[in-house]
Amino acid sequence: MDGMHSETVLKPGEKAPDFTLPATPDQELSLSDLKGGPVILAFYPADWSPVCGDQMVLYNQILPEFHRLGAQLVGLSTDGVWCHAAFAQARGLHFPLLSDFEPKGAVARSFGVYRPAEGTSERALFVIDADGIIRWSYVSPLGLNPGADGILAALEGLGAPAHHEGAVS
């Protein structure tokens, strides 16, 4: 992390703010709709950037492992729903991509991972438990795919004390 959000990013142990965002042009999804099991929020800067594409395809490939651990995955960016639809179709993604488009980055701001100069979010991951408490968070340098090891470790460790990691760029 570049330090810009080290003070504002929501930390483990904090309640995840609820939100409702468009998942498709005619459907919305709320964080509270997913309550009852772990949720992975994967904020990423832009649908068509090379790193974002690789990151989301990786998560799609290990989606069965996330489901085995009882978790649901949601991707979020400030792109619009039609951009998400084209990206998901081109990459064969099988999890919801939520549009934090209007008001621009409102959900990213509520999690402390909005980049106002670029109008995008950080590349940030949150694992939220069944009660809506953030159990693990990680903000990655924008140019690096954070992979899934941290997510999987956090999911496997649910029930243990919350843990926060931050990368240094």
Side-chain angles (χ1 to χ4, degrees):
M1 187 161 76
D2 61 10
M4 181 167 47
H5 296 287
S6 62
E7 299 299 318
T8 61
V9 64
L10 295 184
K11 304 285 190 287
E14 295 186 74
K15 180 90 173 156
D18 195 22
F19 59 82
T20 300
L21 289 174
T24 69
D26 59 355
Q27 294 178 317
E28 294 184 330
L29 183 67
S30 297
L31 182 58
S32 59
D33 294 340
L34 306 173
K35 198 170 183 178
V39 176
I40 305 157
L41 298 182
F43 288 90
Y44 62 98
D47 283 339
W48 298 99
S49 84
V51 176
C52 296
D54 291 348
Q55 181 186 8
M56 294 301 117
V57 167
L58 170 68
Y59 294 165
N60 196 61
Q61 290 171 340
I62 60 172
L63 197 56
E65 185 67 11
F66 293 153
H67 290 164
R68 185 187 68 76
L69 295 167
Q72 298 185 64
L73 170 65
V74 177
L76 303 97
S77 82
T78 56
D79 293 303
V81 292
W82 292 110
C83 189
H84 279 335
F87 178 65
Q89 183 177 16
R91 297 294 186 140
L93 303 179
H94 298 289
F95 57 89
L97 299 178
L98 303 183
S99 176
D100 195 11
F101 183 74
E102 184 60 38
K104 183 98 171 181
V107 174
R109 290 174 204 270
S110 73
F111 279 78
V113 294
Y114 185 68
R115 298 177 63 91
E118 294 88 3
T120 65
S121 69
E122 294 282 357
R123 187 176 312 284
L125 301 167
F126 295 87
V127 172
I128 300 167
D129 70 14
D131 296 321
I133 305 299
I134 296 169
R135 299 300 304 271
W136 178 81
S137 62
Y138 180 76
V139 179
S140 174
L142 284 183
L144 293 178
N145 181 342
D149 291 347
I151 297 169
L152 292 169
L155 291 172
E156 291 168 351
L158 286 180
H163 182 68
H164 170 72
E165 293 180 31
V168 177
S169 62

